[in-house]
């Protein structure tokens, strides 16, 4: 939640944006840093798989598919959190708005099926069964790309760099 909000609060955003890096490089760098935290966590979680292998050989394919699904959901969640962080200066406001967005995305599909596109957990439901649904993979990657693009569009506009 503090990827952009903390930069703005500390006044280092101007320094970052006037560096020889483009907005795309800055956004992707911050995104890849967030994704690397998830990847490292998933690698450490494989310790549990190794413990299970000691007692009995579990099926590897459903485990890898579930990890892929979790990574895709994590990437979408990071991009949404980054976008909301890019809109505000306060990381607490960013965190609260992001949490409200995720909680409301769980309940909105009950009102109308059109909202199921933004529900990350409904896009994850087939992965724990070991099934890779291309529509869910494309939807999660699409959410990630859309919100990263929104950051790329909103950041220079908000700073007055583009009229």
């Amino acid at each position: 939640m503090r990827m952009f909000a903390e930069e703005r609060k500390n006044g280092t955003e101007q320094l970052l944006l006037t560096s020889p890096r483009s907005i795309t490089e800055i956004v992707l760098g911050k995104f890849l840093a967030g994704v690397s935290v998830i990847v490292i966590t998933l690698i450490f979680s494989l310790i549990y798989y190794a413990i299970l292998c000691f007692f009995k050989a579990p099926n590897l394919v459903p485990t890898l598919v579930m990890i892929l699904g979790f990574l895709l959901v994590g990437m979408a969640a990071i991009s949404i959190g980054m976008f909301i962080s890019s809109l505000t200066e306060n990381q607490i406001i960013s965190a609260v708005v992001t949490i409200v967005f995720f909680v409301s995305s769980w309940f909105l599909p009950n009102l109308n099926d059109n909202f199921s596109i933004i529900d990350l957990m409904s896009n994850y439901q087939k992965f724990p069964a070991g099934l890779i649904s291309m529509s869910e993979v494309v939807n999660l990657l699409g959410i990630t790309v859309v919100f990263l693009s929104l950051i790329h569009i909103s950041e220079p506009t908000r700073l007055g760099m583009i009229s």
Side-chain angles (χ1 to χ4, degrees):
M1 302 313 142
R2 58 188 277 194
M3 287 191 178
F4 288 101
E6 191 71 17
E7 297 277 353
R8 193 166 297 123
K9 183 179 179 185
N10 290 337
T12 56
E13 182 183 42
Q14 291 296 328
L15 180 65
L16 187 64
L17 293 174
T18 56
S19 69
R21 301 286 172 223
S22 68
I23 298 288
T24 305
E25 290 174 330
I26 293 168
V27 169
L28 288 179
K30 287 179 176 283
F31 175 72
L32 291 177
V35 170
S36 66
V37 170
I38 290 178
V39 169
I40 290 169
T41 305
L42 288 173
I43 289 171
F44 280 123
S45 72
L46 289 175
I47 292 172
Y48 296 112
Y49 187 78
I51 293 170
L52 285 174
C53 286
F54 180 73
F55 294 107
K56 187 179 178 185
N59 195 353
L60 181 63
V61 174
T63 304
L64 293 177
V65 170
M66 188 169 55
I67 287 173
L68 171 69
F70 187 78
L71 181 64
L72 290 172
V73 169
M75 289 169 49
I78 287 171
S79 67
I80 292 168
M82 281 178 61
F83 173 68
I84 295 172
S85 174
S86 72
L87 298 177
T88 182
E89 185 175 305
N90 192 335
Q91 64 185 351
I92 303 298
I93 293 172
S94 174
V96 169
V97 171
T98 304
I99 290 169
V100 166
F101 177 83
F102 288 138
V103 170
S104 65
S105 73
W106 287 338
F107 295 113
L108 286 176
N110 295 335
L111 299 174
N112 191 344
D113 287 337
N114 293 332
F115 290 117
S116 64
I117 291 175
I118 62 169
D119 182 17
L120 299 182
M121 295 317 293
S122 70
N123 289 310
Y124 178 72
Q125 289 186 356
K126 291 183 183 175
F127 287 103
L131 302 172
I132 298 176
S133 171
M134 287 309 291
S135 64
E136 293 175 350
V137 170
V138 168
N139 193 15
L140 289 169
L141 288 175
I143 290 171
T144 303
V145 169
V146 164
F147 279 97
L148 288 176
S149 299
L150 286 173
I151 297 167
H152 187 270
I153 292 168
S154 71
E155 198 61 25
T157 306
R158 194 190 62 72
L159 292 172
M161 296 174 78
I162 298 174
S163 50

